[in-house]
Structures are given as structure tokens and as C-alpha cells.
Amino acid sequence: MTEPNLDLLSINTIRTLSMDAVQAANSGHPGTPMALAPVAYTLWQKFLRYDPNDPIWPDRDRFVLSNGHASMLLYSLLHLAQVKAVDPDDKVLNSPALTIDDLKKFRQIDSKTPGHPEYRMTSGVETTTGPLGQGVANSVGMAMARWWLASYFNKPRFELFNYNVYAICGDGDMMEGISGEAASLAGHHKLSNLCWIYDNNHITIEGNTSLAFSEDVATRFQGYGWNVEHVTDANDTGAMDQALDVFRNTTDKPTLIIVDSHIGWGAPHRQDTKEAHGEALGEEEVALAKKFYGWPSDAKFLVPDGVYDQFKKGIGKRGGELRNAWVKQFDSYKTEFPALAEDLNRLLHHGLPDGWDNGIPTFPADTKGVATRDSSGKVLNVIAKNVRWLMGGAADLYPSTKTRLTFDGVGEFEAATRGGRNMHFGIREHAMAAISNGMTLCKIRTFASTFFIFTDYCKPAIRLSAIMELPVIYIFTHDSIGVGEDGPTHQPIEQLITLRAVPGLVLLRPADANEVIESWRVIMNLKKEPAVLVLTRQALPTIDRTKYASASGVAKGAYILAEAQGGKPEAILMATGSEVSLCLSAYETLTSEGVKVRVVSMPSWDIFEHQSREYRDSVLPPDVTARVSVEQASILGWDRYVGSKGKIIGMHTFGASAPLKELQKKFGFQPDKVVAAVREVIGK
């Protein structure tokens, strides 16, 4: 066959594999892979800086399928390019990421080809996509990461980081608000290494986009500061070549390539219909589409002779040469810059430098104390000075969240100073969290911060941090009705239990400055779990650790802070955060009256639940059923620790606008109320 015919044969192989997999599952989205096969093929074969034999090569181009419902497009590419599998320890294996049998198991239990691309499940998938808008926002983080990595590691004659980021997206991505947030920030930062390819097919699940979407996307992105190119026919691979060339030669802004396509292209009854978006075509329609492509109508999962070799001659050859040149360069770099090479090795494995916790302050007992947001800011600055790839920022709130890095030389991450580590996300909480995922996917240790109430704006991206096992650090302050006069709109009530419900998310609500220190020790050693650090605006007493237990108990999630006389409690008081000191006040009163009470600080339910049954029973003995929990949040969930005979002091309504002391009185967060609750549960 001639070269152009091999191109077309390869494109149609992507289409037919996608159709066959969706039909075998009788579930999925065939139309977009059928339409975009020429676009994706052109990108992978001629432009993508990617070695199928080493899919985790640090300087590879990143490819994000933001419209993740079109997952068979990516799975077909991974198979045809013969991308190698990678094990959980980042070892590249001599086996394919996806076989034909894997494609045949599309959307089946424990398959490597689930309904949407999932990071870690399928080698070659750069990020989990499906919730629309998240992938393109991740791509902004990936692009930002390259600039920072280049500023830190690149040296004259050694260009270790120069990758581009490509994201395919659709109408749904464009409608989601997060894409606008992310695109706005990308334009501000002039991320010239970022290219979004917009599949402009005018179809969503309900029908034509004219039902709800009529804006001028090109003008919108030009307003964001993007370069905009237009390919009027998705099948025109020459025009796609030219548009991608323009992107690669644009040095001062990101690029949006608008591609006009026909969803379900080639299916005579389903092309340009909503049915091609979210349903299997049906055997008859599949056969007719294959006939249109000049394909054997009865052949299933067919990869014709020459297709695998075509990918080897394209992306395989080019990617291998680029990767080998990079490895050779890095061998010389290790000799000339051994300390930086070691930093890169640690960064790539979410490791920590020796002495990463040197200089962390200690906080002496103090009845007046300090807000945990303030003590956290002090600890963060010490750790960030030691861990040079720890960076992040806030959604326009660093003066309040105390997350600004202030040591000499730290700098601001901006278009003109991309080596800075203070990031400014603007008032874009959702994009901030998703961008942080993208940066962490590139192995930078990233933190993101806002008020705790605004986790509602971050939640979809936080959930994906947990699904992908990314150690993003979320720092949320103003954690309760302690916000005071700002009132119920800004007083978190249900947010604690909402985030506690997320599997794999480590949430810590420290009780004082020393619990903050220990919380950071836990967080920095996480490699696959995102962490949420929940902090106060108001000052909390720094607990006297010579009188009460060491804060090192934070490492186990919950610990005995104050023991009952004789070690056998009649009742157990338990709390998190600011309410722990309240329990200690009640403890002192009850102890003076001869009541044997134990106080348990429970900064992290998740960590506590991962301890042995023996340890958990030692902290909360099953035979002590007189229990009281205290937390300025929803009571939901505390019954698992309090039991049917205990009492929960918490929030049953939203808060109110008033000074803190008035709020504590109104909602019952006072020592005498806690004392009364203990007396009630023990019958005294």
C-alpha cells in the first residue's frame, strides 16, 4: 500500500476498533472516536513527543482526552501504538498496556478498558477523565508544571523539560464553568506549550447544542488571550497538520484548534445524531459504517497488516529517538549536576530530601495560643524551604489562609517569573483544585488553599485527587462557626462529613499548633493519598504537653489526650480541632468532682480507622458506652463512635452571624454544656 493509504487504513482501524468495542459491550460512546480518528492519528503519528516503549519518560508530551466518554479513541491509540505497561512501582514492563483482548473487555468488570480513562488503571492514560471540564483544567496544571520544572532543572546545554500538552475536548467541556476558569488562567500565564483541540460537533446527549449553547467560542478564547485556529473538516489531515504547526510555532500564548466534525461519521443513520453520542450503533449500523469505510462488514476487532508497523514507523520511531537522546543527555547531566539529578529522582517518586523537616518550630504551652492557620503557615514555610519542589497558592486568599511562602528567593509563579513557587489562582476554586491535580500528575508536590466553605466549589476535583491517588495538599481555613460575623454563608457545617465520606482522602483537623506540626509530618509522607488540612481562623490554646499526651498521637488519627484517674474511664469525651480544648476544660471540672473521664483527640477519622482493632479498642474501649462527642459541624457520622448510649454535641442547623462567643453560647459549645452531657450519659 502507498503511504497515504496506510494512513487512512490506520485511521479506519481506530474507528472500527472503537465501534466493535462499544458494540460488544452494548454500552459506550462510538460517535466521537469515529469522528476524531483522523485528528488523533495526525497528532500521535506526526507531532506527539512520546515513546510507546517508555510511557512515563519525564519529558514526554502529555495527551489528555478531556471528553473521556470517547475513551475508545484513546484505548485504540494505546493498543495500535503498542504502548508498554507500567507496574505500580513505575517499572516499564515488556508487555503491552492494552491487548486486543483488553479492547474486547471494554466496560467489563476489572477490565483495563473501563468506560472512561482512569489513571493508574491503564498505562498510557495521563489523567482520569469523564467529568467534563476536569481534563482540560488538568492540562493547564501539566503545562504550568513544565515551565516550573524547566526553570529549576534546565541548564545551558541541558534542556530536560520542554514538553507540550495536548487536550482533546468537546462541547460539554466548553459548557462547564471550570473550562472557562482554567482557560482564563492559561491565557494569563501565556502557556504557549498548551494546545486544546475542540471537537465542534454540535451534539450532546439531549440533541443539537443549539438547545442551550450558541456562543462564539473562538471570540471567547481570543478574549482569554489564546491563539485560535480553525479546521473546517476533521477528515482534512493536511489542515490539521498546519494548525498543529502553528501551535508549535506560537511562543506567547496557548492555542485552541476548533475542529468541525460529524459525530458518528460514516454511519448512514446515526451520523450527526444524539444517538451516536451515547449508544452502541447496533450490529446493522456497524456493518453499514464498515462498508462505507471499505471494511469487511463481518470482521471484528480487525487490525489489518501494516497498521502496527505504520505506528512503529511514526510515533514509535520518532518517540524512541527523542527519548533515547533525552536519556543520553540526562546521563551527562547526572555527572555535571548530581544534586539536581538527585532532586529530580526524588521528585519523580514523590520522595523527600534528607532533613526535610529540619527547623520546624516548637510551640510552648500557651492559654492564649495561636490560630491553627497561623501555626500551619509557619510550618509550611519551613518545609517548603527544605522541599524545593513543594509549591502552591490560594484562590485569592493567601492573606487569610496564611499559605504564602515568604523565605528569600521563593518568588511568584507568573508568566515572566516561572521559577516562582507562590501561585495565584484568582477566584477560581474549582480550577485551582483541578490544576493542582495536573501539576501533581507531573510530580510537583502541590498545595491549594481557600476557605473551608468553598470546598463545595472544589469537590469534583478533590474527588478525582482521591480516585487517582494523587498526594495533593488542600489547606482549608475558617473551619467552623468560629468564622463568626460572616454568618451561615461562610460557616462550614456539612463540609467535614462530606469530605470524610471520600475514600482515600486523608482529612486532618488539628486541635492546636503542635497537632498542626504532626499533621504536616503525616501529610508530607503521603505518596498516594491527597490530604485535607482543616484549620481555624481564631486562636486556640496551645495544649500543655507536659500535662497531657504528646501530639505525636496524630499519626494514629486519634489518641488519648487526657486520661481518667486510674486509667479506667467512666466516660469518654472526644472531639476534633477547636473543640478539643473545650473538652479539656470540661475534663478538668469533672475530674475535680471525682468523675473519671478520658479525653480523646480525633484529628483524622480516616487514619484512625486504618489502625489495628487492638489500638482502636485501647482508645475507645467497647465496654465504655458513656461517650460524648463535640464538634462544631454536622453530627452525621459521630454515632459510629458515640454509640446508641452516647450524646453528640454538634450543629443541627446552619450557623448565624454574630461574634464567636455569642455563637458558642447559642449553639451549646460551652464547658458547662459538655459537663452536663457527660453527667447525663453516666447517669449522674
Side-chain angles (χ1 to χ4, degrees):
M1 288 188 178
T2 63
E3 193 74 17
N5 283 340
L6 272 174
D7 286 335
L8 182 58
L9 190 69
S10 300
I11 289 166
N12 286 336
T13 303
I14 296 169
R15 287 170 164 149
T16 55
L17 287 176
S18 299
M19 289 191 300
D20 286 341
V22 172
Q23 192 60 43
N26 197 29
S27 173
H29 301 72
T32 299
M34 295 164 69
L36 291 186
V39 172
Y41 175 79
T42 300
L43 172 61
W44 278 55
Q45 270 292 81
K46 298 185 178 181
F47 291 87
L48 202 66
R49 178 187 174 88
Y50 187 88
D51 181 8
N53 288 315
D54 188 357
I56 56 172
W57 162 40
D59 197 33
R60 69 193 181 278
D61 284 350
R62 268 60 169 186
F63 174 77
V64 175
L65 185 67
S66 190
N67 46 346
H69 54 269
S71 57
M72 273 309 305
L73 177 65
L74 178 54
Y75 296 150
S76 297
L77 288 164
L78 293 174
H79 171 69
L80 294 174
Q82 297 180 290
V83 172
K84 292 288 179 65
V86 180
D87 72 9
D89 297 320
D90 288 342
K91 179 182 178 182
V92 179
L93 307 176
N94 191 29
S95 57
L98 293 176
T99 65
I100 279 288
D101 284 341
D102 290 319
L103 301 188
K104 292 177 180 178
K105 295 175 183 176
F106 179 57
R107 289 190 166 221
Q108 304 308 300
I109 191 70
D110 296 329
S111 167
K112 294 180 182 178
T113 50
H116 295 84
E118 293 190 36
Y119 179 69
R120 296 190 189 276
M121 179 175 288
T122 312
S123 300
V125 171
E126 299 283 6
T127 183
T128 296
T129 56
L132 293 172
Q134 295 290 331
V136 286
N138 291 166
S139 75
V140 174
M142 294 173 177
M144 294 170 83
R146 187 207 92 174
W147 289 104
W148 188 86
L149 290 166
S151 73
Y152 187 74
F153 290 105
N154 288 7
K155 296 294 178 184
R157 300 182 295 108
F158 295 100
E159 192 173 62
L160 293 191
F161 289 97
N162 190 31
Y163 64 79
N164 291 323
V165 182
Y166 300 89
I168 290 182
C169 53
D171 292 304
D173 290 288
M174 289 299 169
M175 293 184 206
E176 290 285 359
I178 188 175
S179 67
E181 292 182 24
S184 174
L185 193 61
H188 170 77
H189 282 294
K190 305 182 186 301
L191 300 179
S192 58
N193 61 326
L194 178 64
C195 179
W196 290 4
I197 301 169
Y198 166 36
D199 176 25
N200 182 36
N201 65 33
H202 301 290
I203 296 294
T204 58
I205 289 175
E206 290 187 0
N208 194 283
T209 54
S210 61
L211 291 167
F213 188 62
S214 54
E215 68 195 44
D216 185 337
V217 173
T219 300
R220 171 184 155 196
F221 272 74
Q222 287 167 349
Y224 288 146
W226 288 53
N227 172 54
V228 178
E229 299 296 311
H230 197 170
V231 174
T232 58
D233 180 2
N235 291 303
D236 188 344
T237 56
M240 193 67 208
D241 268 350
Q242 292 176 9
L244 289 167
D245 270 332
V246 170
F247 157 65
R248 292 206 302 188
N249 289 306
T250 299
T251 60
D252 61 346
K253 62 186 68 175
T255 294
L256 176 72
I257 301 175
I258 301 174
V259 179
D260 297 340
S261 75
H262 294 278
I263 195 167
W265 190 80
H269 304 107
R270 291 294 182 91
Q271 181 175 310
D272 295 324
T273 69
K274 62 185 178 65
E275 286 76 18
H277 175 82
E279 300 176 9
L281 297 176
E283 294 287 357
E284 183 177 346
E285 190 76 359
V286 167
L288 291 171
K290 287 179 177 178
K291 181 179 179 181
F292 178 82
Y293 301 146
W295 211 261
S297 60
D298 59 345
K300 295 184 178 180
F301 295 97
L302 172 65
V303 180
D305 292 344
V307 171
Y308 291 125
D309 285 340
Q310 179 74 348
F311 276 86
K312 282 182 181 178
K313 289 187 295 182
I315 187 172
K317 181 176 185 295
R318 184 184 66 257
E321 290 173 350
L322 289 167
R323 185 260 179 191
N324 290 340
W326 187 91
V327 171
K328 183 178 179 181
Q329 177 187 212
F330 187 58
D331 286 340
S332 299
Y333 183 90
K334 285 187 288 187
T335 300
E336 195 161 338
F337 303 101
L340 283 175
E342 179 58 26
D343 277 356
L344 180 56
N345 180 61
R346 292 179 190 266
L347 177 147
L348 292 174
H349 295 91
H350 289 312
L352 295 169
D354 296 336
W356 68 269
D357 56 351
N358 288 348
I360 289 179
T362 57
F363 294 90
D366 182 357
T367 55
K368 183 179 178 182
V370 61
T372 53
R373 64 171 176 169
D374 290 313
S375 55
S376 175
K378 290 181 172 66
V379 176
L380 169 62
N381 264 274
V382 170
I383 295 174
K385 191 172 183 179
N386 295 334
V387 182
R388 294 169 290 280
W389 49 92
L390 173 62
M391 61 185 291
D396 195 53
L397 286 172
Y398 80 73
S400 296
T401 59
K402 310 299 182 183
T403 47
R404 181 173 176 79
L405 304 180
T406 58
F407 49 88
D408 289 344
V410 65
E412 314 298 307
F413 184 93
E414 276 290 343
T417 54
R418 287 174 170 149
R421 291 160 62 191
N422 279 310
M423 304 186 69
H424 303 275
F425 294 101
I427 306 169
R428 304 181 181 96
E429 294 89 356
H430 197 179
M432 172 183 69
I435 287 168
S436 297
N437 282 340
M439 294 185 69
T440 306
L441 284 161
C442 296
K443 307 303 184 179
I444 293 174
R445 199 68 193 274
T446 313
F447 63 86
S449 183
T450 186
F451 290 165
F452 193 34
I453 192 70
F454 299 135
T455 57
D456 290 344
Y457 286 177
C458 303
K459 175 67 188 309
I462 294 174
R463 185 173 186 270
L464 285 169
S465 302
I467 289 176
M468 290 191 277
E469 300 180 346
L470 301 178
V472 180
I473 303 167
Y474 295 100
I475 304 170
F476 298 131
T477 67
H478 296 57
D479 68 339
S480 69
I481 61 170
V483 172
E485 292 86 347
D486 278 340
T489 60
H490 283 57
Q491 293 169 0
I493 300 300
E494 72 278 18
Q495 283 68 27
L496 276 171
I497 190 60
T498 298
L499 293 181
R500 283 170 177 157
V502 178
L505 182 65
V506 177
L507 184 147
L508 295 124
R509 186 173 182 239
D512 74 343
N514 290 306
E515 281 201 5
V516 166
I517 292 172
E518 298 306 320
S519 294
W520 272 106
R521 292 188 190 280
V522 169
I523 288 167
M524 292 307 298
N525 281 289
L526 298 175
K527 292 190 175 183
K528 291 189 176 181
E529 299 89 358
V532 170
L533 187 58
V534 183
L535 305 169
T536 66
R537 183 186 75 164
Q538 75 274 22
L540 302 184
T542 304
I543 297 167
D544 185 348
R545 299 293 170 168
T546 64
K547 182 177 181 181
Y548 302 111
S550 166
S552 61
V554 168
K556 293 194 172 182
Y559 65 102
I560 300 169
L561 176 60
E563 183 58 289
Q565 291 179 343
K568 294 185 178 180
E570 298 175 74
I572 299 174
L573 269 171
M574 59 192 86
T576 73
S578 54
E579 292 74 69
V580 171
S581 293
L582 175 59
C583 288
L584 286 177
S585 295
Y587 165 86
E588 295 294 345
T589 298
L590 290 163
T591 300
S592 70
E593 296 175 356
V595 180
K596 297 179 179 180
V597 180
R598 171 183 291 180
V599 177
V600 174
S601 178
M602 301 187 70
S604 178
W605 290 9
D606 176 76
I607 296 174
F608 183 59
E609 291 297 327
H610 283 83
Q611 304 308 308
S612 67
R613 168 59 66 182
E614 181 182 12
Y615 177 77
R616 284 179 285 152
D617 286 350
S618 73
V619 175
L620 300 175
D623 60 342
V624 182
T625 58
R627 301 180 179 186
V628 176
S629 69
V630 188
E631 191 172 63
Q632 292 179 10
S634 167
I635 66 170
L636 193 63
W638 274 108
D639 54 328
R640 73 190 302 178
Y641 299 118
V642 169
S644 60
K645 297 181 181 180
K647 188 172 180 62
I648 303 171
I649 300 176
M651 295 297 294
H652 299 266
T653 66
F654 292 109
S657 178
L660 175 57
K661 288 184 178 180
E662 293 182 27
L663 292 169
Q664 290 171 329
K665 181 178 179 180
K666 176 180 176 66
F667 293 109
F669 295 100
Q670 293 180 301
D672 62 318
K673 298 292 185 182
V674 179
V675 168
V678 172
R679 287 174 178 153
E680 181 181 339
V681 296
I682 64 175
K684 290 186 179 180

